[in-house]
Amino acid sequence: MPNIKVFESYLLCTMQDFLFTSELQFGFKANKGCRDAMSVLCNTVEYYTRDGSTVNIACLDMSKAFDRVNLYALSIKLMELSVPKSFISIILDWYGKVLISVKWNNSVSAPRRLLAGVRQGGVLSPSLFNVYVNDILCNLEHSEFRCHVSGRYVGALMYADDLLLISITLQDLRNMLDIVYAELSWLDMVLNVKKSGLLRIGPRFNADLSPVLINGSTLPVVDRLSYFGVEIGAGKSLKLYMYTRRMKFFRAFNALYAKLGGTASDIVIVHLTRTFCLPILLYGLESFTSV
C-alpha cells in the first residue's frame, strides 16, 4: 500500500497542472473547504432575499458516485484537458488491474476485475473524480440560467459529489436540473431523488408551486436542509440552526467527562474539551447570521 501511494503521489505531482477544475468545486482542493462553500451559499441567499427575491436551493445526492466512475468516460475528460497520452494510458492500465474478491468466513471467491470506480483511499482518486464531474459545473456556468453575486457565478456549488443548485426562479431551476441530468446520464451516474431536496428561502417560501421533476421523479420540498453539518431552514430569511450542533457538543463532552471526570484535573479536562469538543460547536460558525 505505501508503494501504491508513492506511485500515485508522483503521478499527481507530475500532472497536477493539467487537472484543472472549476472554482465552484470546493472539495479536495488546497485552501478550500466546507466553510468556503457555506460562506458562498449564505452570502448568495442573503444577497437575493435582501432585494425581495425568493431563492430556490436544490440539494442533489449522487448515488454511489465514486463507485460509478466510467474509466473510458474519464479518459475522454482527460483528453479534453490536453492531458498527455502517456498519463492517460498509465491511468487506464493502472485501474484495469484492480481485482476484487468476496470473503465469507474462510471462503474467498474467485477474483473479478473491477470495471468502474476510482480506488478508495487513493491519492489520485479525488482529483480524477473532480475532473470526471467538472463539466456539470462548466455547463451550468455557461448556460443562460445564471445567478451572480458581484459578477461571479454562484448558481451551483459542489463539494466532491455533493451538488447544490441555486436559482431565483423555478423555471431556471428546472432547466438547470435538465442540464445536470443530461451530463450525469452521459457519465453513467444517477441521482438519488429520495435523498435530495428543494428548500425555498424568501417572501414566497411557502407559496404553492408545481412539482419540480428530475427524470419524471418529483424533487421533495423540505423545511430543513443539512449542508455540511449546518442545518438551513426554509423561511422569509436565511435561518441557520445550532440545535443539532449543541447536542453533538454535549454528547461529546459527557462522554469525555464520564471517562476522565474522577481521575483528571480541571486543567486536563478543559484542554481536552477545547481540543475534541469545542470544534464541534464552532464548526462553520462564521456562516451563522441568525440562530
Side-chain angles (χ1 to χ4, degrees):
M1 183 62 70
N3 291 334
I4 292 177
K5 291 187 179 294
V6 170
F7 175 68
E8 292 197 354
S9 296
Y10 174 76
L11 287 179
L12 181 61
C13 181
T14 304
M15 301 299 169
Q16 185 66 61
D17 292 340
F18 294 96
L19 305 180
F20 176 80
T21 55
S22 171
E23 292 184 355
L24 298 170
Q25 171 63 269
F26 294 88
F28 312 122
K29 290 185 175 180
N31 303 319
K32 281 192 175 184
C34 302
R35 295 178 178 180
D36 301 285
M38 274 301 305
S39 179
V40 173
L41 172 62
C42 293
N43 289 333
T44 302
V45 172
E46 290 184 329
Y47 176 82
Y48 281 101
T49 55
R50 196 163 47 236
D51 292 336
S53 299
T54 297
V55 179
N56 304 285
I57 304 173
C59 186
L60 306 178
D61 179 79
M62 298 182 191
S63 180
K64 299 180 180 179
F66 288 86
D67 295 331
R68 297 181 66 93
V69 173
N70 184 294
L71 298 180
Y72 299 104
L74 174 62
S75 65
I76 293 174
K77 298 295 183 182
L78 293 173
M79 291 177 192
E80 292 174 349
L81 292 176
S82 300
V83 174
K85 178 182 176 181
S86 56
F87 177 73
I88 299 175
S89 299
I90 290 174
I91 291 297
L92 291 178
D93 182 69
W94 182 242
Y95 276 92
K97 296 176 179 178
V98 177
L99 302 176
I100 60 172
S101 298
V102 177
K103 183 177 181 179
W104 180 263
N105 292 329
N106 295 323
S107 301
V108 179
S109 68
R112 298 290 299 272
R113 189 162 68 94
L114 199 61
L115 301 177
V118 291
R119 291 175 180 267
Q120 293 186 7
V123 176
L124 264 177
S125 299
S127 296
L128 293 178
F129 181 81
N130 281 355
V131 168
Y132 189 69
V133 298
N134 187 58
D135 279 347
I136 296 175
L137 296 172
C138 292
N139 293 343
L140 289 169
E141 189 170 0
H142 295 150
S143 71
E144 59 184 13
F145 315 113
R146 303 197 168 194
C147 191
H148 288 83
V149 173
S150 300
R152 180 185 177 186
Y153 178 75
V154 289
L157 307 176
M158 204 167 188
Y159 190 96
D161 58 340
D162 291 323
L163 176 61
L164 211 67
L165 303 182
I166 307 171
S167 173
I168 56 175
T169 70
L170 285 172
Q171 186 56 47
D172 279 359
L173 181 63
R174 292 186 177 96
N175 292 327
M176 292 167 71
L177 287 170
D178 290 341
I179 293 174
V180 172
Y181 179 76
E183 180 63 19
L184 288 179
S185 297
W186 190 89
L187 295 174
D188 194 27
M189 302 184 75
V190 295
L191 289 174
N192 189 339
V193 179
K194 292 182 179 180
K195 290 186 178 181
S196 302
L198 170 61
L199 184 78
R200 307 191 75 211
I201 303 174
R204 296 175 298 280
F205 78 97
N206 58 352
D208 293 334
L209 65 151
S210 56
V212 176
L213 304 177
I214 304 177
N215 191 33
S217 300
T218 301
L219 185 65
V221 179
V222 297
D223 295 327
R224 288 195 183 187
L225 190 66
S226 179
Y227 191 56
F228 299 131
V230 177
E231 286 198 354
I232 309 169
K236 292 184 178 180
S237 60
L238 179 64
K239 295 180 181 179
L240 304 175
Y241 299 94
M242 285 196 65
Y243 174 77
T244 304
R245 188 64 51 75
R246 289 197 298 264
M247 291 297 295
K248 290 182 178 179
F249 167 79
F250 289 131
R251 191 179 298 122
F253 175 78
N254 289 336
L256 178 67
Y257 190 77
K259 292 183 177 181
L260 301 176
T263 59
S265 66
D266 291 344
I267 295 177
V268 172
I269 294 175
V270 169
H271 173 74
L272 293 176
T273 301
R274 287 179 176 177
T275 304
F276 296 103
C277 303
L278 197 59
I280 298 174
L281 190 63
L282 299 182
Y283 169 77
L285 194 62
E286 66 277 4
S287 302
F288 282 69
T289 56
S290 58
V291 179

